[in-house]
Amino acid sequence: MEVTNYFTLTIPAYSRNESFARVVVAAFAAQLDPTLEEINEVKTAVSEAVTNAIIHGYGEKGGEIVITCTLRADNTLEVIIKDTGVGIEDLEQAREPLFTTRPDLERSGMGFTVMEEFMDSVSVDSKPGQGTVVTMTKKLSTGEQGGHETNL
Amino acid sequence: MEVTNYFTLTIPAYSRNESFARVVVAAFAAQLDPTLEEINEVKTAVSEAVTNAIIHGYGEKGGEIVITCTLRADNTLEVIIKDTGVGIEDLEQAREPLFTTRPDLERSGMGFTVMEEFMDSVSVDSKPGQGTVVTMTKKLSTGEQGGHETNL
Amino acid sequence: MKITKQQSGDILVVGVSGELDHHSSALLKSEIGAELDKGGVRHIILDLRELTFMDSSGLGVLLGRYKELGKWQGKMLAFGLQPVVEKMFRLTGLNQLIPVHPDLASCYKALGV
Amino acid sequence: MKITKQQSGDILVVGVSGELDHHSSALLKSEIGAELDKGGVRHIILDLRELTFMDSSGLGVLLGRYKELGKWQGKMLAFGLQPVVEKMFRLTGLNQLIPVHPDLASCYKALGV
Ligand SMILES: Nc1ncnc2c1ncn2[C@@H]1O[C@H](COP(=O)(O)OP(=O)(O)O)[C@@H](O)[C@H]1O
Ligand SMILES: Nc1ncnc2c1ncn2[C@@H]1O[C@H](COP(=O)(O)OP(=O)(O)O)[C@@H](O)[C@H]1O
């Protein structure tokens, strides 16, 4: 399906950039005029993946996160969030609800579960020592289909 | 002066991305809690430079624009807007008020004048056939100095 | 950006809301152009109360319409400018070609209505 | 994010407004922690009317405080959830640990006040 727009954003892995990452993806998705609920779901999923890169990928020691968003002619939004941190040893275990390697940081282990709930598809590619790439897609409604509720 | 935050954003040179570019830079600058007037000035300057890349740099035929923003510890925002389009032959002439090479497109020739008026410094680096880099800086006030008027 | 149009006699009142940049200026140009093509418009009053952003591309499209009206000695007036738009008018000298009024009534008065 | 705190008897009412994510959750943790350290708090009521965003990091910090209250059989209640926050409570099962009430009065009532 034809790509109609895209962006690539590189940010340092600072926790204060979590909200910035959400705003940028939401502003980009808003060009389709989706519902407020869809925008909130995308924002939440982005927040989960970016936070994971900061906390788990880079162990809160900084590094860079690359976010790539693509819109296609069928109104599908694809969000790719990439870090070059420690990577994930056991992907299947990582995606289980309530599983976390950092209970000491009060992590709930629900990050991947939230991403899966709020997006249409979530795929994770990771190599220990090399980093993690989370790819999520979601089909958004457009204004004609009953959007017009957002104001970004 | 120490860099406290930054981002790099790559977008296709579509006119519908002019507003997206403004929103992203404004959201980034908002972390300092500047005044609404300062945010509007930065948005306008960004709009001028991005529009120039789309219209003049790439002749409205597409291409990529790279926007890099840096915040420093003294609250200075630096915005760099780069295209790899046709470049500018005579830089001095280009920066004169009312000068435009595209009166056919109803350009006012006031783009560089507006950038200079709204930012503290504007420097332009361009090579014909290779592209143009516009670097602008502006010292922003923070909340403590009387900001808190913006809501981004 | 959203555009509203309302004609009374030979005066067209154009309301522009949202952000007027290069992307949206094409629409403003064609919307006003369509009215001018019909032949009954002499003057234009711009209602800018809801305009929250304007850059030099917006300036260009307003200047272009101003020049068209000049062909038949028509005038262009504006009212309701927000500070950020007012600043662009002042900075670029546009206010010397398109006089800025406090409200619609004062625009009509200036046109002798 | 902004936090307000108000204590009446052994009940602490914590208002959380804005966005509760990993970045802001540290502040919420320390603000509530400071009150618990003083020793007079038994139950907590969360006023979430102004909370516009919460992700699983917010969930983690609320769960953490919930567990602390458990040490002395204290309860945590919440009211005023916006749809997006309500969804996170339901999806993650948090509403089974932190009961959601329609308003402050109903929270007080549930605590026998
Ligand atoms: N970007 C990442 N880099 C390294 N490990 C990760 C990354 N994302 C997730 N993980 C691992 O997967 C686990 C589960 O993630 P998640 O479901 O988001 O829960 P939580 O973040 O609360 O731990 C994490 O505890 C961590 O071990
Ligand atoms: N990114 C660019 N690439 C090539 N030429 C440019 C670029 N930016 C500006 N110029 C040249 O400089 C001239 C003046 O620019 P400006 O002051 O913004 O006015 P305008 O855009 O209205 O023409 C343009 O007409 C164009 O010839």
Side-chain angles (χ1 to χ4, degrees):
Chain A
M1 188 60 68
E2 196 206 341
V3 169
T4 56
N5 206 353
Y6 63 89
F7 77 78
T8 303
L9 175 75
T10 304
I11 47 173
Y14 303 152
S15 67
R16 62 183 178 280
N17 285 334
E18 290 156 9
S19 61
F20 178 59
R22 292 197 296 271
V23 169
V24 174
V25 176
F28 181 76
Q31 64 190 280
L32 284 185
D33 207 3
T35 65
L36 185 57
E37 187 178 6
E38 287 171 335
I39 286 280
N40 278 328
E41 289 173 345
V42 169
K43 279 174 85 168
T44 311
V46 167
S47 200
E48 300 295 351
V50 168
T51 302
N52 279 353
I54 294 169
I55 297 180
H56 304 300
Y58 294 117
E60 300 188 273
K61 291 190 183 70
E64 279 189 345
I65 301 172
V66 181
I67 304 174
T68 306
C69 272
T70 309
L71 272 180
R72 289 177 202 277
D74 65 352
N75 300 325
T76 304
L77 173 75
E78 183 185 69
V79 188
I80 303 176
I81 292 166
K82 194 184 148 198
D83 68 66
T84 54
V86 297
I88 303 175
E89 294 278 348
D90 185 339
L91 266 177
E92 216 178 303
Q93 188 184 43
R95 296 180 67 153
E96 275 168 21
L98 300 174
F99 176 81
T100 179
T101 51
R102 300 301 304 270
D104 55 313
L105 295 177
E106 300 197 329
R107 304 301 301 164
S108 63
M110 292 298 280
F112 279 123
T113 307
V114 168
M115 289 182 242
E116 282 162 13
E117 186 70 22
F118 286 178
M119 302 293 281
D120 295 342
S121 79
V122 178
S123 80
V124 189
D125 192 14
S126 188
K127 284 206 187 77
Q130 290 186 35
T132 301
V133 182
V134 177
T135 304
M136 308 185 278
T137 66
K138 188 180 181 74
K139 187 152 179 164
L140 302 175
S141 59
T142 58
E144 302 96 60
Q145 294 167 31
H148 282 305
E149 292 165 45
T150 176
N151 213 351
L152 262 159
Chain B
M1 188 59 68
E2 197 204 343
V3 170
T4 56
N5 207 353
Y6 63 89
F7 76 78
T8 302
L9 176 74
T10 304
I11 47 173
Y14 304 152
S15 67
R16 62 183 179 281
N17 285 335
E18 291 157 8
S19 60
F20 178 60
R22 292 196 295 270
V23 170
V24 173
V25 176
F28 181 76
Q31 65 191 279
L32 284 186
D33 206 2
T35 65
L36 185 57
E37 186 179 6
E38 288 170 334
I39 286 280
N40 279 329
E41 289 173 344
V42 169
K43 280 174 84 168
T44 310
V46 166
S47 201
E48 300 295 350
V50 168
T51 302
N52 279 353
I54 294 169
I55 298 180
H56 304 301
Y58 294 117
E60 300 189 272
K61 292 190 183 72
E64 278 188 345
I65 300 171
V66 181
I67 303 174
T68 306
C69 273
T70 309
L71 271 180
R72 289 177 201 276
D74 65 352
N75 299 325
T76 304
L77 174 75
E78 181 185 69
V79 188
I80 303 176
I81 292 167
K82 193 184 147 193
D83 68 65
T84 54
V86 298
I88 302 175
E89 294 279 348
D90 184 340
L91 267 176
E92 216 177 304
Q93 187 183 45
R95 295 180 69 153
E96 275 168 21
L98 301 175
F99 176 82
T100 179
T101 50
R102 301 301 304 269
D104 56 312
L105 295 177
E106 300 196 329
R107 305 300 300 164
S108 63
M110 293 297 282
F112 279 123
T113 308
V114 168
M115 289 181 241
E116 282 162 14
E117 185 70 23
F118 286 179
M119 302 293 281
D120 295 342
S121 78
V122 178
S123 78
V124 189
D125 193 13
S126 187
K127 285 208 186 74
Q130 291 186 36
T132 301
V133 182
V134 176
T135 303
M136 308 185 278
T137 67
K138 189 181 180 74
K139 186 150 179 165
L140 302 175
S141 59
T142 58
E144 303 95 59
Q145 294 165 28
H148 282 305
E149 293 164 43
T150 176
N151 214 350
L152 262 157
Chain C
M1 193 195 54
K2 265 186 207 142
I3 296 167
T4 60
K5 296 177 293 187
Q6 213 182 321
Q7 193 168 341
S8 61
D10 59 359
I11 299 173
L12 180 69
V13 180
V14 181
V16 190
S17 65
E19 308 206 328
L20 179 56
D21 61 6
H22 162 244
H23 182 67
S24 53
S25 64
L27 180 64
L28 182 59
K29 181 177 176 177
S30 72
E31 287 281 324
I32 294 182
E35 298 305 314
L36 297 189
D37 285 349
K38 290 184 195 158
V41 173
R42 176 143 191 231
H43 307 295
I44 290 181
I45 297 173
L46 298 167
D47 175 354
L48 303 185
R49 285 175 297 177
E50 305 285 320
L51 188 66
T52 56
F53 177 88
M54 184 180 109
D55 61 14
S56 79
S57 302
L59 178 76
V61 73
L62 293 185
L63 267 178
R65 307 293 71 64
Y66 165 83
K67 283 180 195 162
E68 285 195 50
L69 296 184
K71 291 180 197 163
W72 52 82
Q73 279 83 45
K75 285 182 188 152
M76 188 175 258
L77 310 168
F79 75 96
L81 281 65
Q82 296 189 17
V84 56
V85 176
E86 169 112 51
K87 192 166 184 174
M88 279 296 286
F89 267 65
R90 249 187 302 115
L91 169 68
T92 60
L94 192 63
N95 54 359
Q96 278 155 36
L97 305 175
I98 305 177
V100 173
H101 288 260
D103 52 34
L104 182 60
S106 140
C107 287
Y108 274 123
K109 207 171 160 193
L111 292 172
V113 183
Chain D
M1 194 193 55
K2 267 186 205 142
I3 296 168
T4 60
K5 297 178 292 188
Q6 212 181 321
Q7 193 168 341
S8 60
D10 59 0
I11 298 173
L12 179 69
V13 180
V14 181
V16 191
S17 65
E19 308 205 329
L20 178 56
D21 61 7
H22 161 244
H23 182 68
S24 54
S25 64
L27 180 65
L28 182 59
K29 180 177 176 178
S30 73
E31 286 282 323
I32 294 181
E35 298 304 315
L36 298 188
D37 285 350
K38 290 183 196 161
V41 173
R42 178 148 189 224
H43 307 296
I44 290 180
I45 297 174
L46 298 167
D47 175 353
L48 303 185
R49 286 175 297 177
E50 306 286 320
L51 188 67
T52 55
F53 178 88
M54 184 180 109
D55 62 14
S56 79
S57 302
L59 178 76
V61 74
L62 293 185
L63 267 177
R65 308 293 71 67
Y66 166 83
K67 282 178 195 163
E68 284 195 50
L69 296 183
K71 291 180 197 163
W72 51 82
Q73 280 83 46
K75 284 182 189 154
M76 188 176 259
L77 310 169
F79 76 97
L81 281 65
Q82 296 189 16
V84 56
V85 176
E86 169 113 51
K87 193 165 185 178
M88 278 296 286
F89 267 66
R90 249 188 301 114
L91 169 69
T92 60
L94 192 64
N95 54 358
Q96 278 155 38
L97 305 175
I98 305 176
V100 173
H101 288 260
D103 52 34
L104 181 61
S106 142
C107 287
Y108 274 123
K109 208 170 159 192
L111 291 173
V113 183

